[in-house]
Amino acid sequence: MSDQSVVIITGASSGVGLWAAKALATRGWLVIMACRDLAKAEAAAAEAGIPAESRRILHIDLGSQASVRRFADDFHALGLPLDALLLNAAVYLPRATEPQRSPEGFEISVATNYFGHFLLAHLLLDDLKAAHGRPKTGGAGPARLITLGTVTANSEEFGGKVPIPAPADLGDLAGLAAGFQAPIAMIDGKPFKPGKAYKDSKLACMIMNREFQKRWGETGVIFNTLYPGCVADTPLFRHTPPAFQKIFPWFQKNITKGYVSQPLAGERTAQVVADPAFAAQSGVHWSWGNRQQEGRQAFAQKLSVRGTNEARNERLWDLTMKSVGLA
Ligand code: NAP
């Protein structure tokens, strides 16, 4: 078996995922870029200067559970170890007037950002367990499951209190419990708010991480989330109004000072995936605060009560297991 470290990164065709791929390839890792548009991923990797021998590109559409299962089979067929899985891909559709639906009939931002990653993590968990502590170039280390969270999903932070369209809140999970099929489009079962659907999907991902830690932490695998800063100019914001796309990066650079460049966000993400300091704790949410300076130290950010209600988190896990066909 190869002694090169191997990471899968979902959504590595742009933004944080692309630059994390570059930072990990620079550290000597083999990067499996899990992307829905292979030609776009190939062009982005070449333009970012990720050497061809440091990367492989495999197809995945996280919004489709059949595609996620095919991806896991395709990865297993490569016969590679898996030292880290970086759950990064996301869609943000704040101007959708009607919910878009996944092939399984679920609202698309929850289906992509949360269900797809929940399923993928389960299909690859045994690979992470098997790779945990294996001898590699640079020494043995823990395997890691790392997920991108966000500030707007954590009402413990200022960005998470913004009421436009509403803070993340999974409520009593009534929408999920009722099957999450049309006309239901929100986890809490309330009327569709596309921007909130994104925030809810990210909150669900952060809760998922805590549940993985609770259930599988004793394996030694590290389960962490992170917020790398406000990367205000990535294509994530391509569906916002054009004026917002101009003003938002300027506002974050000059007023909040929360702006982080894509390469710096990628480097911070790579640190959480690879550096020993970020394996000292598991089950935590790493943040650099809402500041952009190079060299700023990361800290473990507290999650709000909306992400720490243990009984609801366990129920969310059980309902999601059903939604992705694992229970
Ligand atoms: P981005 O540049 O838009 O990257 C998102 C990636 O996800 C793209 O590669 C996209 O692929 C991929 N993707 C979307 N839908 C997919 C699907 N169905 N199947 C497979 N891949 C899919 O956005 P980003 O800002 O880098 O966001 C990356 C992560 O960082 C997200 O989890 C986001 O929530 C988180 N984050 C971002 C910020 C920020 O300020 N930007 C802040 C905090 C957290 P295509 O190229 O094909 O669209």
Side-chain angles (χ1 to χ4, degrees):
M1 188 166 280
S2 163
D3 58 4
Q4 184 181 26
S5 295
V6 180
V7 58
I8 292 174
I9 304 180
T10 65
S13 59
S14 69
V16 178
L18 175 66
W19 290 98
K22 164 98 177 172
L24 287 162
T26 303
R27 283 168 167 79
W29 286 54
L30 175 63
V31 180
I32 311 295
M33 301 170 67
C35 299
R36 62 177 165 177
D37 183 335
L38 300 184
K40 180 179 175 182
E42 180 64 45
E47 196 182 336
I50 303 172
E53 65 276 13
S54 302
R55 59 178 153 91
R56 299 210 193 158
I57 302 174
L58 285 189
H59 182 266
I60 192 169
D61 178 351
L62 281 152
S64 157
Q65 293 179 15
S67 174
V68 171
R69 290 178 185 280
R70 260 196 312 274
F71 172 89
D73 290 345
D74 291 346
F75 173 72
H76 287 141
L78 295 176
L80 290 169
L82 183 63
D83 300 290
L85 172 59
L86 176 59
L87 304 178
N88 163 80
V91 281
Y92 175 48
L93 303 163
R95 287 201 292 170
T97 50
E98 291 293 325
Q100 294 174 34
R101 296 279 163 187
S102 72
E104 288 83 16
F106 302 126
E107 189 283 321
I108 198 71
S109 39
V110 169
T112 304
N113 307 349
Y114 174 49
F115 287 170
H117 281 143
F118 186 99
L119 178 58
L120 183 64
H122 278 82
L123 297 176
L124 299 179
L125 184 60
D126 282 346
D127 298 83
L128 291 172
K129 287 194 250 170
H132 179 68
R134 77 184 181 95
K136 301 176 284 194
T137 312
R144 305 188 204 195
L145 173 57
I146 307 298
T147 306
L148 267 290
T150 188
V151 73
T152 56
N154 185 15
S155 56
E156 190 69 26
E157 301 183 71
F158 177 71
K161 298 188 202 313
V162 177
I164 308 167
D169 186 356
L170 307 184
D172 61 1
L173 310 175
L176 207 50
F180 205 53
Q181 295 284 336
I184 299 167
M186 301 295 287
I187 291 176
D188 62 9
K190 293 186 177 163
F192 179 54
K193 288 185 180 167
K196 179 175 182 291
Y198 167 82
K199 293 184 198 179
D200 285 354
S201 73
K202 301 302 292 185
L203 174 57
C205 284
M206 291 160 82
I207 292 172
M208 171 185 80
N209 186 68
R210 291 172 61 90
E211 287 297 305
F212 264 115
Q213 168 62 24
K214 207 157 78 188
R215 291 155 198 261
W216 301 105
E218 67 186 20
T219 61
V221 174
I222 299 292
F223 301 100
N224 285 330
T225 57
L226 79 147
Y227 170 62
C230 183
V231 209
D233 52 9
T234 72
L236 187 69
F237 302 100
R238 75 190 105 162
H239 301 294
T240 59
F244 178 89
Q245 293 179 43
K246 281 210 176 74
I247 294 165
F248 187 53
W250 179 89
F251 184 77
Q252 293 292 348
K253 277 176 195 164
N254 298 296
I255 307 297
T256 69
K257 313 273 189 210
Y259 172 82
V260 170
S261 70
Q262 295 181 43
L264 179 55
E267 169 55 29
R268 287 176 172 177
T269 304
Q271 288 172 16
V272 176
V273 169
D275 291 2
F278 287 90
Q281 295 181 67
S282 184
V284 301
H285 177 61
W286 291 108
S287 174
W288 281 256
N290 200 24
R291 290 291 180 269
Q292 60 192 314
Q293 296 97 329
E294 293 272 356
R296 191 176 166 86
Q297 293 299 306
F299 58 92
Q301 170 76 53
K302 205 171 159 225
L303 287 197
S304 81
V305 288
R306 291 194 177 126
T308 52
N309 177 326
E310 299 303 330
R312 184 174 52 182
N313 290 356
E314 283 175 20
R315 188 154 173 262
L316 175 65
W317 177 278
D318 292 344
L319 290 170
T320 310
M321 290 290 278
K322 283 191 191 138
S323 303
V324 301
L326 290 174

